[in-house]
Amino acid sequence: MKKNDLVEVTIESMGSAGEGIGKIDGYPLFVKDTFPGDRARVSLTKVKKTYAFARLVELLEPSPDREEPRCAQPRRCGGCQIQGLSYEKQLLYKEEKVREDLKRLGGFAEPPVNPVLGMDEPYRYRNKAQFPFGKDKEGRIVTGFYAGRTHSIVPETDCALGIEENQTILNMILNFMNENHIEPYDENTGKGLLRHALIRKGFATGELMVSLVINGRKFPQIEKLADCLFTIPGMTSLTLNVNQKNTNVILGDEIIPVRGQTCITDKIGDISYQISPLSFYQVNPVQTEKLYRTALEYAGLTGQETVWELYCGIGTISLFLARSAKKVYGVEIVPQAVEDAKHNAELNGISNVEFYLGKAEEVLPERYEKEGILADVIVIDPPRKGCDSACLTTMLAMAPERIVYVSCDPATFARDLKILCADGRYELTRVQPVDMFPQTAGVENVGLLVCRK
């Protein structure tokens, strides 16, 4: 086989990124936008010795598990890798993905994986979106999403995963830019003003935030735009975010207030959180509550425990745990997040929580070695790359009764659990996958490790 060959293949399974996998004479083909049961004509795009990648050219016979996507152009956007698959099958795929990673990468022969906690309505769940602005080939100002692995904008103002207000807000901004001759940012030249629009909504409060990311410090006629935006019910915050760097990083560090507050409020359970444009906050609040309640259940708190949470962000899980613990300590590397966490503790009248600024892999070992701190329960919620080895080593030395691991990546989750369970001191007793990102290949997990004392 060689590049650009056209072949017919029946898709038998799915890969970790949601791509379909079929075989020709035992030779695997990885085909984006296909699902098990599809028979398809595909074109080879990259040919290796033991496998190849291909793109879908024609769907000859659709899988019985296919459904019509709600988005107008899911293949061009690429953000929802499995939107064309029935939701029931999406959940089964994710459960199997978690189980297989724990077997293959974690070495667990029979991992204790529960069925995935799904959503009643797996659309319109995202409380945050960042929309780039640019120009199409005809020179028209557009906004939407980057096509997969590119910075080419797919024009779209109404993502089916996002809030309905996105479309109204984006159309107001586009009309305003055209009427006032405001240029979008051009990555190639470094010129132009508007780079992105960040939109957030507090699902519990209905409050809306818009932050315009600009290549400068002023936005012409911004008060006129504010007048338009604040006709939308729930509009609470309009700010400018300054990013004048030649970078792919979306947000800059400086926030300039324009109208209303500089933050919005949302709730998870009975805990309120104030969220700024720079705050990390889970994008699916409905599933976040399920995730945190699972973490709280696994922590097994009676009110007498000392708890450490590593990679705590703005304190979302820490505050959720604090009302059931004696004392909670959170560790986070982002200064603004630590300030937000402290403020959120005060907002909720929670006094038995303390936050440390620094790298988890430095703060925890230092406190343990110099101060001899102990923990009954350690909760970790690391980034996609997983937990730092220094953290894992220190946790094993501290020997808490329980370790609750919250993960957004099944592969690094399995890798770290293998290390924590390697000497038999800890046993993986429960794993609860939570579908935080329906229509995508992503899945979050909460794992419970119990110390065998």
Side-chain angles (χ1 to χ4, degrees):
M1 291 188 180
K2 61 183 184 298
K3 185 177 179 179
N4 297 325
D5 276 356
L6 282 173
V7 296
E8 293 185 12
V9 64
T10 297
I11 303 301
E12 302 170 5
S13 60
M14 291 173 65
S16 60
E19 72 278 35
I21 304 175
K23 294 180 180 179
I24 296 181
D25 296 329
Y27 182 74
L29 303 182
F30 292 82
V31 188
K32 184 175 171 290
D33 304 313
T34 61
F35 306 111
D38 283 341
R39 189 168 66 85
R41 181 174 290 112
V42 304
S43 175
L44 303 188
T45 57
K46 185 181 292 185
V47 178
K48 300 288 187 178
K49 184 176 181 180
T50 56
Y51 63 93
F53 294 100
R55 65 177 180 85
L56 176 63
V57 174
E58 182 183 1
L59 190 60
L60 302 174
E61 184 178 332
S63 165
D65 297 320
R66 271 190 175 269
E67 289 186 353
E68 189 65 28
R70 290 196 193 179
C71 285
Q73 42 194 353
R75 287 187 63 187
R76 285 190 66 200
C77 172
C80 299
Q81 305 93 339
I82 59 175
Q83 189 180 148
L85 186 64
S86 73
Y87 191 54
E88 178 185 5
K89 294 297 183 180
Q90 289 185 30
L91 297 180
L92 291 175
Y93 156 68
K94 294 182 182 188
E95 179 184 337
E96 186 61 19
K97 176 180 177 179
V98 173
R99 182 174 283 106
E100 285 304 308
D101 277 349
L102 286 169
K103 288 180 179 180
R104 182 173 55 89
L105 302 175
F108 298 95
E110 296 293 336
V113 180
N114 295 329
V116 181
L117 294 178
M119 299 191 72
D120 294 332
E121 175 48 53
Y123 288 93
R124 299 293 184 195
Y125 63 80
R126 288 190 63 95
N127 60 16
K128 172 188 173 184
Q130 298 169 138
F131 297 88
F133 284 76
K135 287 189 174 181
D136 62 15
K137 294 180 180 179
E138 286 72 40
R140 293 175 296 221
I141 300 174
V142 295
T143 187
F145 297 96
Y146 291 130
R149 299 181 181 179
T150 76
H151 270 215
S152 174
I153 297 176
V154 178
E156 182 57 69
T157 58
D158 186 26
C159 167
L161 303 191
I163 59 174
E164 294 180 346
E165 292 92 339
N166 283 341
Q167 186 172 34
T168 301
I169 292 169
L170 293 173
N171 285 333
M172 281 185 176
I173 295 172
L174 288 170
N175 291 336
F176 186 85
M177 292 176 71
N178 285 314
E179 291 170 2
N180 293 274
H181 309 291
I182 295 173
E183 291 292 305
Y185 180 72
D186 186 321
E187 291 183 338
N188 295 318
T189 65
K191 297 181 179 179
L193 182 61
L194 185 59
R195 302 174 71 128
H196 285 78
L198 165 66
I199 304 173
R200 301 184 100 147
K201 182 176 182 178
F203 276 29
T205 62
E207 294 181 359
L208 286 167
M209 165 189 291
V210 175
S211 187
L212 304 177
V213 185
I214 59 172
N215 179 37
R217 297 186 55 80
K218 294 182 179 180
F219 195 97
Q221 304 292 321
I222 187 63
E223 290 297 331
K224 285 173 58 179
L225 178 57
D227 289 340
C228 295
L229 292 173
F230 271 76
T231 63
I232 301 171
M235 187 60 63
T236 303
S237 172
L238 176 62
T239 62
L240 301 176
N241 176 266
V242 179
N243 184 357
Q244 295 178 277
K245 297 179 181 179
N246 182 16
T247 175
N248 289 335
V249 176
I250 293 176
L251 296 174
D253 296 325
E254 184 181 1
I255 300 294
I256 300 176
V258 175
R259 186 175 295 184
Q261 305 171 12
T262 57
C263 62
I264 59 173
T265 301
D266 200 11
K267 296 182 74 172
I268 300 175
D270 61 353
I271 306 291
S272 296
Y273 302 92
Q274 288 197 336
I275 309 154
S276 74
L278 300 177
S279 296
F280 171 79
Y281 186 70
Q282 292 279 9
V283 300
N284 186 336
V286 174
Q287 295 298 90
T288 296
E289 183 165 356
K290 297 178 185 177
L291 186 79
Y292 290 0
R293 290 202 183 281
T294 301
L296 179 60
E297 177 191 346
Y298 284 11
L301 302 178
T302 66
Q304 302 303 311
E305 293 84 3
T306 297
V307 181
W308 278 77
E309 189 204 351
L310 310 181
Y311 314 95
C312 70
I314 64 170
T316 46
I317 298 180
S318 293
L319 299 181
F320 221 70
L321 299 171
R323 288 185 172 173
S324 301
K326 180 180 179 181
K327 181 77 175 185
V328 175
Y329 298 93
V331 182
E332 172 57 46
I333 191 175
V334 180
Q336 183 61 51
V338 172
E339 290 304 310
D340 288 344
K342 293 177 179 178
H343 179 73
N344 286 325
E346 183 179 347
L347 178 69
N348 289 277
I350 298 175
S351 58
N352 63 330
V353 62
E354 187 174 342
F355 295 100
Y356 290 98
L357 174 64
K359 295 180 179 180
E361 60 268 25
E362 294 176 359
V363 172
L364 190 69
E366 180 182 356
R367 299 291 172 185
Y368 175 66
E369 292 166 7
K370 291 185 178 180
E371 301 176 15
I373 58 110
L374 298 174
D376 300 298
V377 178
I378 294 179
V379 179
I380 51 176
D381 185 9
R384 186 168 297 277
K385 67 179 181 179
C387 199
D388 187 273
S389 60
C391 280
L392 298 174
T393 300
T394 304
M395 284 191 288
L396 289 170
M398 291 173 69
E401 293 177 12
R402 290 175 296 283
I403 297 173
V404 180
Y405 193 138
V406 181
S407 170
C408 62
D409 187 288
T412 55
F413 178 65
R415 178 202 68 197
D416 290 350
L417 293 183
K418 181 178 183 179
I419 295 171
L420 291 169
C421 296
D423 64 359
R425 192 185 320 173
Y426 281 92
E427 179 185 4
L428 177 64
T429 62
R430 301 168 76 181
V431 175
Q432 179 60 69
V434 181
D435 191 21
M436 296 286 288
F437 315 107
Q439 319 308 328
T440 79
V443 60
E444 295 234 357
N445 293 287
V446 185
L448 173 60
L449 299 174
V450 177
C451 188
R452 292 170 164 174
K453 290 185 179 178

